[in-house]
Amino acid sequence: MYGETGAVMREEFAALLRQHRVQQRLVGPTSEDREVLGGLIRAYRQTVLVWLGQAMRAASPLAFSNMPPPQRNPFRSVGAPGSHLTAAGELARAIDLAKQQSTASPASTDALATPNANPMVDHWRLAARAAALAEHDTSERVSAQMTTPQAQALVGDAAALTQALVVLDQRYKNTPGWEPLSQSARLGWASLAAALDVNLGQPDYAVDHLGWRPKTKVITGTARPGVLGVLQAQHNLVVRMRSVPNATNLRLVVDSQRLVSAHLAPYAARIDERLAERWTARAETYSVMQKQLREVGGLLGRGGLAVAEGANAVTRLKALPKDTILEPRVLSGFQLLFHRLDDRIADVIEDGVERGAFFKRVTLPRIVGGGGQLVHPVRERFVPITSATDLAVVKTVRERLRPKDDPPEATPGPTRVDLHSALIHRPTKGRAVEVPNI
């Protein structure tokens, strides 16, 4: 995920920007040893430049300038002769030029994976490794899901990292065998212009949630003790619900969530009363859905493993002592799993109705004869559902189950603030701090 790899790059560059007297930190008995370390740093720098170029290519189609163009001609595309060149486009060209003019090659896999004994060089290695991993987070597949504000946030991150490279390039110029960045002045001004252009708009830092994520797997092995076992079963239930259950198993999963929510609410009430109220309402919603699903049938699908995990969650929850105190992070974990499971169950019901996997139970009229029977069974049939609005459970899903919480507003985060403060910081150790004259 870009939020993780981008944060690592910003943390490592902020640490490098706060390190001065580079030649003293490049510990080596001879100039040749320092030249070897300098060459390794250049390889790490080249890896970062490669990612910066890819990130700018991913954001360029949506990185519109926040400055009004001098000629408002909608028939001229960005980058065409005579059109207005954006600050992001100029930064992308400057990065590509610096990457092409450099004689260094990107760091090898071994160089990225092997820690270095020199702490300063290891900061470069960690930044380069994060840049190599970030190539999956800014690929063409991910950029197709990106919005314009998210692209502007990505451009802002690339501009800040480029400014860091320019500052560090000046600091490392006395390193034996060092190769300065090509046209570093132009690169610095282009990154500053891009950063200012981005700040004129409202970048969306939800771009941190884009990118590659590892596949969620079932937690195997023996049951975890206490409430962790309940979390384990609930997590496995979310994973098992990837396969579509049939109507009977769906009813059992819904019933398990009714019981889990009802039993967890008293534990949550001791820590967070509002969360307990939400879980009580969730239990009532699943109680209504469980009754409404009795009128729905269908044999397509499986869901046996999901039913087993739901039963495990209920059994382990009932075995918890009444005086158990759940930590806030545990409650947050349950809420996250509830949110994902509610969304998945809502999708299963609506998609099942749409593709004809579920049927509606109807009662057929019949003429009761004088056969002497005390009980006359009701004639019932399952008929196809013509419209989703015919089912009461669909209305319940849309109005009560489907999560309606607005996603939290994404913030720049501490790593972006730390990187910008590192870019403008001045060392104060060993000299008097400057104060305003009185």
Side-chain angles (χ1 to χ4, degrees):
M1 192 167 61
Y2 174 67
E4 298 175 355
T5 55
V8 173
M9 283 189 284
R10 291 187 290 269
E11 288 176 0
E12 299 305 327
F13 274 107
L16 288 170
L17 288 169
R18 291 188 172 93
Q19 294 181 353
H20 298 266
R21 298 183 179 181
V22 174
Q23 300 307 311
Q24 295 182 7
R25 297 178 183 273
L26 286 177
V27 180
T30 63
S31 177
E32 288 76 11
D33 294 334
R34 293 195 298 272
E35 184 176 355
V36 171
L37 292 179
L40 190 57
I41 292 176
R42 287 173 50 212
Y44 292 144
R45 183 184 67 178
Q46 187 70 10
T47 303
V48 177
L49 283 173
V50 170
W51 175 78
L52 288 173
Q54 184 200 32
M56 293 304 300
R57 287 194 299 271
S60 292
L62 294 171
F64 304 110
S65 176
N66 293 309
M67 293 291 293
Q71 290 183 346
R72 299 177 179 235
N73 191 341
F75 298 99
R76 289 182 179 177
S77 61
V78 175
S83 65
H84 178 61
L85 182 63
T86 63
E90 184 63 31
L91 176 59
R93 291 174 57 184
I95 291 175
D96 289 339
L97 180 62
K99 179 180 63 176
Q100 295 169 5
Q101 295 295 327
S102 176
T103 59
S105 300
S108 62
T109 304
D110 293 337
L112 293 174
T114 306
N116 196 285
N118 189 301
M120 186 176 68
V121 178
D122 203 56
H123 282 303
W124 280 99
R125 180 188 69 86
L126 294 175
R129 186 179 67 175
L133 294 175
E135 293 181 8
H136 298 280
D137 302 327
T138 54
S139 60
E140 294 182 359
R141 181 181 60 84
V142 177
S143 62
Q145 307 171 2
M146 201 179 299
T147 63
T148 295
Q150 291 172 353
Q152 291 179 348
L154 182 59
V155 171
D157 291 344
L161 292 173
T162 304
Q163 292 180 45
L165 286 179
V166 173
V167 173
L168 294 173
D169 180 61
Q170 296 296 319
R171 241 177 246 178
Y172 286 68
K173 62 182 179 180
N174 293 329
T175 303
W178 184 257
E179 181 185 15
L181 289 171
S182 177
Q183 299 186 14
S184 60
R186 176 191 176 190
L187 190 62
W189 284 112
S191 61
L192 179 61
L196 293 174
D197 193 1
V198 167
N199 290 329
L200 290 176
Q202 294 182 346
D204 184 7
Y205 295 104
V207 67
D208 290 344
H209 302 299
L210 300 180
W212 177 85
R213 296 189 181 189
K215 184 178 179 181
T216 307
K217 299 181 181 180
V218 174
I219 302 176
T220 57
T222 58
R224 305 298 192 270
V227 70
L228 296 181
V230 185
L231 269 174
Q232 176 187 6
Q234 194 70 17
H235 166 83
N236 292 344
L237 173 58
V238 175
V239 177
R240 297 298 188 187
M241 280 297 292
R242 290 175 182 169
S243 61
V244 180
N246 56 36
T248 302
N249 289 334
L250 177 61
R251 209 157 44 235
L252 294 175
V253 170
V254 167
D255 190 54
S256 71
Q257 293 310 293
R258 175 184 66 86
L259 296 173
V260 167
S261 299
H263 283 82
L264 271 178
Y267 294 102
R270 302 180 63 183
I271 309 299
D272 190 342
E273 187 66 32
R274 296 176 59 186
L275 186 61
E277 294 176 358
R278 294 179 62 179
W279 288 358
T280 302
R282 183 175 185 264
E284 296 174 355
T285 300
Y286 274 104
S287 178
V288 173
M289 289 177 55
Q290 201 270 343
K291 296 176 182 178
Q292 293 173 342
L293 284 174
R294 295 175 183 173
E295 306 300 323
V296 178
L299 300 178
L300 294 179
R302 297 183 179 180
L305 296 177
V307 172
E309 295 295 349
N312 289 337
V314 174
T315 304
R316 297 171 188 175
L317 183 56
K318 289 182 177 179
L320 283 180
K322 298 299 182 181
D323 57 349
T324 302
I325 297 178
L326 303 185
E327 299 180 10
R329 62 186 182 91
V330 176
L331 298 178
S332 299
F334 275 115
Q335 180 59 28
L336 177 63
L337 293 174
F338 286 166
H339 189 282
R340 294 179 179 176
L341 186 59
D342 294 348
D343 197 31
R344 176 56 183 163
I345 290 177
D347 289 339
V348 167
I349 293 177
E350 293 191 7
D351 293 344
V353 172
E354 183 178 354
R355 62 189 179 90
F358 295 145
F359 297 87
K360 180 181 179 181
R361 187 199 305 267
V362 296
T363 302
L364 300 180
R366 61 178 299 179
I367 300 176
V368 179
Q373 298 178 353
L374 295 178
V375 178
H376 299 279
V378 179
R379 295 181 61 187
E380 296 177 337
R381 295 290 186 273
F382 287 97
V383 298
I385 302 173
T386 57
S387 176
T389 56
D390 294 343
L391 286 180
V393 67
V394 174
K395 182 179 180 180
T396 303
V397 163
R398 293 175 177 176
E399 296 180 356
R400 300 177 59 176
L401 180 64
R402 180 76 72 175
K404 298 179 181 179
D405 298 340
D406 295 330
E409 184 178 356
T411 59
T415 58
R416 289 185 174 90
V417 177
D418 189 36
L419 178 59
H420 283 81
S421 63
L423 282 169
I424 62 175
H425 97 288
R426 299 178 63 184
T428 58
K429 186 177 181 180
R431 63 190 178 106
V433 180
E434 295 182 359
V435 295
N437 295 325
I438 299 178

